[in-house]
């Protein structure tokens, strides 16, 4: 028996030693990667004073470019910025992916045992400095708003140090529900609590939905979230479909009415500096998946629209477009 226990102790000790060695090796690798990425960055943007107004010199060229001048029309600023971007920077703008939030609001440059989910994410500097990306979806739920805001300020400061200093756009799935539904909703304790979309559908009052969206907009902007990966306006006509909880109802007219109010509450009448842009989903209606499968996966690729009801499922998206939704997320 003693010999058996001794063997077990040796095995456990070997496993622990191996884990320590692996962690040290990867820590060295993560540290080197971070240093190499950060070396690609320049200084922070200096401040220019023009006509008694202060502006950040985002490309650090010592003069106020059109895209840096908040007084200029948006279209002119976009054209000027595009004219200065290289191909890699333009490619980086075409993608959105998840990004990690560092412990205690720091930059996420390496995984940590304190947050197992951190293993999922590349270093912030890899995404921003090396891959030139600007659009990100946050997947974690920090313990308090200060942590999220501190990280947001730090990661925007990193973006400021890129060649053109293009700010990041931070997006999120819904955060005001009460249940954790990975990939569809992220309960965030320091935000206000509201009914699920099905609950709003049961209430059926567009003014309540708009009130919710306005409150959520203020909470999002307070911590730097500027894109809502919602509302989900698929019609829940297939009872086996796994994402019914994120939809308002199976009723196209009711869903259209609530979608309009939802978008209005987040965006306002027009997109502006106080808006949160809505990415309405999943065009052209993901509810009627064959056998109720989820189109996030290959086995759920078939949308069938029983009874030739395609136009019925399209109706809420027409309402979303009428409401001015900033973006549309297609199904997969």
């Amino acid at each position: 028996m003693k010999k058996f226990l001794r063997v077990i102790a040796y095995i456990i000790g070997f496993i622990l030693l191996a884990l320590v060695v692996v962690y040290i090796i990867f820590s060295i690798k993560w540290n080197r990667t971070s240093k190499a990425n950060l070396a690609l960055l320049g200084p922070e943007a200096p401040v220019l004073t023009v006509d008694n107004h202060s502006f950040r010199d985002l490309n650090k060229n010592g003069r106020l470019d059109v895209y840096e001048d908040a007084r200029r029309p948006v279209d002119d600023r976009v054209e000027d910025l595009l004219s200065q971007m290289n191909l890699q920077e333009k490619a980086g703008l075409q993608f959105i992916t998840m990004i990690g939030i560092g412990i205690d609001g720091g930059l996420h440059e390496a995984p940590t045992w304190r947050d197992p989910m951190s293993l999922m994410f590349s270093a912030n500097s890899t995404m921003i400095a090396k891959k030139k990306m600007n659009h990100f979806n946050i997947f974690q739920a920090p313990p308090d708003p200060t942590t999220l805001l501190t990280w947001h300020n730090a990661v925007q400061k990193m973006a400021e140090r890129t060649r053109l200093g293009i700010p990041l756009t931070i997006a999120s799935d819904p955060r005001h529900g009460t249940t954790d539904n990975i990939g569809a909703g992220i309960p965030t304790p320091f935000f206000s609590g509201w009914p699920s979309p099905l609950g709003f559908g049961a209430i059926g009052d567009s003014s309540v939905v708009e009130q919710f969206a306005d409150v959520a907009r203020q909470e999002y902007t307070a911590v730097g979230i500027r894109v809502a990966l919602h509302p989900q306006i698929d019609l829940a006509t297939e009872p086996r479909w796994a994402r019914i909880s994120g939809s308002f109802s199976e009723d196209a007219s009711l869903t259209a009415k609530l979608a309009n109010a939802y978008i209005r509450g987040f965006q306002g009448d027009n997109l502006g500096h106080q808006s949160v842009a809505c990415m309405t989903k999943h065009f052209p209606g993901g509810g009627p998946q064959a056998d109720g499968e989820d189109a996030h996966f290959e086995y759920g690729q078939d949308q069938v629209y029983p009874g030739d009801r395609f136009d019925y499922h399209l109706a809420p998206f027409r309402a979303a477009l009428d409401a001015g939704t900033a973006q549309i997320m297609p199904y997969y």
Side-chain angles (χ1 to χ4, degrees):
M1 185 65 181
K2 290 182 178 180
K3 183 178 180 180
F4 174 76
L5 293 175
R6 191 181 302 117
V7 171
I8 294 298
Y10 284 147
I11 292 174
I12 294 174
F14 177 79
I15 292 173
L16 291 174
L17 178 61
L19 290 174
V20 170
V21 171
V22 168
Y23 180 78
I24 292 173
I25 291 172
F26 273 92
S27 293
I28 293 172
K29 178 180 180 294
W30 292 326
N31 186 54
R32 287 180 175 176
T33 297
S34 180
K35 285 184 176 180
N37 292 335
L38 294 174
L40 299 173
L41 298 172
E44 295 180 5
V47 175
L48 299 173
T49 301
V50 179
D51 299 330
N52 294 320
H53 294 281
S54 295
F55 305 90
R56 285 185 299 167
D57 183 11
L58 296 172
N59 60 5
K60 302 90 179 169
N61 66 354
R63 65 175 185 270
L64 183 63
D65 291 79
V66 173
Y67 86 91
E68 298 165 341
D69 189 345
R71 301 168 300 179
R72 302 293 291 269
V74 171
D75 288 347
D76 292 348
R77 298 177 70 191
V78 169
E79 287 301 317
D80 181 59
L81 178 58
L82 285 173
S83 72
Q84 298 189 44
M85 294 176 70
N86 60 37
L87 185 60
Q88 189 177 12
E89 290 161 343
K90 290 178 180 178
L93 281 176
Q94 304 305 307
F95 297 90
I96 182 170
T97 191
M98 291 181 290
I99 191 170
I101 299 171
I103 292 292
D104 301 326
L107 293 168
H108 171 76
E109 289 297 287
T112 171
W113 62 270
R114 292 172 59 190
D115 180 13
M117 189 178 288
S118 64
L119 288 166
M120 296 173 54
F121 308 113
S122 299
N124 290 170
S125 60
T126 294
M127 310 307 295
I128 298 166
K130 184 177 180 180
K131 296 186 177 181
K132 318 298 184 188
M133 294 183 66
N134 297 87
H135 308 307
F136 298 103
N137 175 17
I138 53 173
F139 199 63
Q140 296 152 286
D144 54 71
T146 301
T147 298
L148 181 51
L149 185 58
T150 301
W151 169 83
H152 176 261
N153 289 341
V155 82
Q156 291 287 9
K157 186 61 68 174
M158 178 182 286
E160 181 183 304
R161 294 174 57 198
T162 60
R163 190 177 73 91
L164 296 175
I166 303 172
L168 307 180
T169 302
I170 304 299
S172 176
D173 283 303
R175 287 180 173 267
H176 289 80
T178 57
T179 58
D180 192 2
N181 189 352
I182 295 176
I186 308 162
T188 304
F190 52 82
F191 283 165
S192 55
W194 295 80
S196 68
L198 280 179
F200 283 127
I203 296 169
D205 187 336
S206 59
S207 65
V208 173
V209 172
E210 186 170 355
Q211 179 189 10
F212 150 73
D214 182 55
V215 170
R217 172 191 63 78
Q218 295 175 61
E219 292 176 331
Y220 271 23
T221 56
V223 294
I225 300 172
R226 286 293 183 168
V227 176
L229 302 178
H230 43 96
Q232 178 183 308
I233 59 174
D234 309 289
L235 299 180
T237 56
E238 165 55 80
R240 295 171 293 179
W241 188 49
R243 299 197 63 170
I244 285 178
S245 62
S247 298
F248 290 122
S249 74
E250 80 288 355
D251 186 306
S253 177
L254 174 63
T255 298
K257 180 179 73 170
L258 299 186
N260 189 294
Y262 197 108
I263 294 165
R264 204 165 51 243
F266 269 101
Q267 295 188 175
D269 293 330
N270 297 289
L271 280 176
H273 68 280
Q274 294 184 343
S275 301
V276 170
C278 286
M279 187 185 293
T280 303
K281 61 187 183 185
H282 304 88
F283 181 84
Q289 297 300 119
D291 301 322
E293 300 287 7
D294 189 341
H296 283 78
F297 308 102
E298 186 176 358
Y299 54 73
Q301 62 184 303
D302 297 324
Q303 288 172 288
V304 292
Y305 302 102
D308 197 24
R309 300 281 279 172
F310 180 79
D311 285 344
Y312 186 77
H313 288 268
L314 205 60
F317 291 93
R318 291 196 174 99
L321 292 172
D322 288 342
T325 184
Q327 304 175 49
I328 292 283
M329 182 191 297
Y331 227 153
Y332 305 91

